[in-house]
mmCIF file of all heavy atoms in Angstrom:
data_model
loop_
_atom_site.group_PDB
_atom_site.id
_atom_site.type_symbol
_atom_site.label_atom_id
_atom_site.label_comp_id
_atom_site.label_asym_id
_atom_site.label_seq_id
_atom_site.Cartn_x
_atom_site.Cartn_y
_atom_site.Cartn_z
ATOM 1 N N GLY A 682 124.318 101.047 93.628
ATOM 2 C CA GLY A 682 124.985 101.523 92.422
ATOM 3 C C GLY A 682 124.472 102.861 91.942
ATOM 4 O O GLY A 682 125.216 103.664 91.370
ATOM 5 N N SER A 683 123.187 103.133 92.161
ATOM 6 C CA SER A 683 122.636 104.437 91.794
ATOM 7 C C SER A 683 123.101 105.530 92.744
ATOM 8 O O SER A 683 123.407 106.650 92.334
ATOM 9 C CB SER A 683 121.102 104.381 91.793
ATOM 10 O OG SER A 683 120.618 103.735 90.645
ATOM 11 N N LEU A 684 123.138 105.208 94.039
ATOM 12 C CA LEU A 684 123.460 106.234 95.031
ATOM 13 C C LEU A 684 124.944 106.575 95.100
ATOM 14 O O LEU A 684 125.309 107.717 95.398
ATOM 15 C CB LEU A 684 123.000 105.771 96.423
ATOM 16 C CG LEU A 684 121.488 105.756 96.677
ATOM 17 C CD1 LEU A 684 121.194 105.158 98.041
ATOM 18 C CD2 LEU A 684 120.912 107.164 96.583
ATOM 19 N N PHE A 685 125.823 105.608 94.825
ATOM 20 C CA PHE A 685 127.247 105.809 95.070
ATOM 21 C C PHE A 685 127.836 107.006 94.310
ATOM 22 O O PHE A 685 128.619 107.774 94.899
ATOM 23 C CB PHE A 685 128.027 104.535 94.727
ATOM 24 C CG PHE A 685 129.477 104.609 95.129
ATOM 25 C CD1 PHE A 685 129.867 104.324 96.424
ATOM 26 C CD2 PHE A 685 130.455 104.983 94.210
ATOM 27 C CE1 PHE A 685 131.199 104.407 96.805
ATOM 28 C CE2 PHE A 685 131.784 105.080 94.563
ATOM 29 C CZ PHE A 685 132.163 104.785 95.875
ATOM 30 N N PRO A 686 127.503 107.235 93.031
ATOM 31 C CA PRO A 686 128.091 108.395 92.346
ATOM 32 C C PRO A 686 127.754 109.726 93.020
ATOM 33 O O PRO A 686 128.519 110.688 92.913
ATOM 34 C CB PRO A 686 127.489 108.321 90.942
ATOM 35 C CG PRO A 686 127.160 106.875 90.756
ATOM 36 C CD PRO A 686 126.706 106.409 92.105
ATOM 37 N N VAL A 687 126.612 109.798 93.712
ATOM 38 C CA VAL A 687 126.230 111.040 94.378
ATOM 39 C C VAL A 687 126.847 111.117 95.774
ATOM 40 O O VAL A 687 127.343 112.160 96.195
ATOM 41 C CB VAL A 687 124.694 111.146 94.489
ATOM 42 C CG1 VAL A 687 124.292 112.460 95.164
ATOM 43 C CG2 VAL A 687 124.050 111.062 93.116
ATOM 44 N N LEU A 688 126.823 109.991 96.504
ATOM 45 C CA LEU A 688 127.252 110.010 97.902
ATOM 46 C C LEU A 688 128.747 109.778 98.075
ATOM 47 O O LEU A 688 129.383 110.381 98.931
ATOM 48 C CB LEU A 688 126.479 108.944 98.692
ATOM 49 C CG LEU A 688 124.947 109.062 98.664
ATOM 50 C CD1 LEU A 688 124.329 107.924 99.456
ATOM 51 C CD2 LEU A 688 124.499 110.401 99.229
ATOM 52 N N GLN A 689 129.302 108.832 97.294
ATOM 53 C CA GLN A 689 130.714 108.434 97.391
ATOM 54 C C GLN A 689 131.024 107.687 98.689
ATOM 55 O O GLN A 689 131.651 106.641 98.675
ATOM 56 C CB GLN A 689 131.647 109.636 97.241
ATOM 57 C CG GLN A 689 131.582 110.290 95.859
ATOM 58 C CD GLN A 689 132.041 109.357 94.741
ATOM 59 O OE1 GLN A 689 133.046 108.685 94.862
ATOM 60 N NE2 GLN A 689 131.276 109.322 93.653
ATOM 61 N N ASP A 690 130.616 108.217 99.823
ATOM 62 C CA ASP A 690 130.819 107.490 101.077
ATOM 63 C C ASP A 690 129.695 107.851 102.033
ATOM 64 O O ASP A 690 128.930 108.797 101.806
ATOM 65 C CB ASP A 690 132.180 107.805 101.705
ATOM 66 C CG ASP A 690 132.345 109.286 102.020
ATOM 67 O OD1 ASP A 690 131.598 109.775 102.893
ATOM 68 O OD2 ASP A 690 133.205 109.938 101.398
ATOM 69 N N ASP A 691 129.581 107.087 103.119
ATOM 70 C CA ASP A 691 128.442 107.225 104.022
ATOM 71 C C ASP A 691 128.438 108.545 104.776
ATOM 72 O O ASP A 691 127.402 108.959 105.301
ATOM 73 C CB ASP A 691 128.417 106.060 105.017
ATOM 74 C CG ASP A 691 129.687 105.991 105.851
ATOM 75 O OD1 ASP A 691 130.699 105.460 105.339
ATOM 76 O OD2 ASP A 691 129.659 106.455 106.993
ATOM 77 N N THR A 692 129.575 109.250 104.832
ATOM 78 C CA THR A 692 129.598 110.512 105.571
ATOM 79 C C THR A 692 128.795 111.597 104.858
ATOM 80 O O THR A 692 128.483 112.623 105.456
ATOM 81 C CB THR A 692 131.047 110.999 105.764
ATOM 82 O OG1 THR A 692 131.666 111.168 104.479
ATOM 83 C CG2 THR A 692 131.840 109.991 106.585
ATOM 84 N N SER A 693 128.479 111.383 103.573
ATOM 85 C CA SER A 693 127.660 112.359 102.854
ATOM 86 C C SER A 693 126.208 112.324 103.314
ATOM 87 O O SER A 693 125.455 113.269 103.062
ATOM 88 C CB SER A 693 127.711 112.080 101.348
ATOM 89 O OG SER A 693 129.035 112.139 100.866
ATOM 90 N N LEU A 694 125.811 111.235 103.945
ATOM 91 C CA LEU A 694 124.428 111.093 104.384
ATOM 92 C C LEU A 694 124.197 111.883 105.669
ATOM 93 O O LEU A 694 125.073 111.938 106.529
ATOM 94 C CB LEU A 694 124.091 109.620 104.627
ATOM 95 C CG LEU A 694 123.949 108.767 103.371
ATOM 96 C CD1 LEU A 694 124.012 107.281 103.709
ATOM 97 C CD2 LEU A 694 122.636 109.082 102.671
ATOM 98 N N PRO A 695 123.006 112.488 105.814
ATOM 99 C CA PRO A 695 122.702 113.203 107.064
ATOM 100 C C PRO A 695 122.838 112.283 108.272
ATOM 101 O O PRO A 695 122.540 111.090 108.197
ATOM 102 C CB PRO A 695 121.241 113.650 106.859
ATOM 103 C CG PRO A 695 121.059 113.688 105.371
ATOM 104 C CD PRO A 695 121.927 112.599 104.823
ATOM 105 N N SER A 696 123.259 112.834 109.373
ATOM 106 C CA SER A 696 123.542 112.027 110.561
ATOM 107 C C SER A 696 122.307 111.324 111.094
ATOM 108 O O SER A 696 122.407 110.268 111.724
ATOM 109 C CB SER A 696 124.143 112.907 111.659
ATOM 110 O OG SER A 696 123.248 113.969 111.976
#
Side-chain angles (χ1 to χ4, degrees):
S683 283
L684 288 175
F685 188 83
V687 181
L688 303 179
Q689 295 297 315
D690 60 66
D691 59 279
T692 59
S693 301
L694 288 164
S696 58

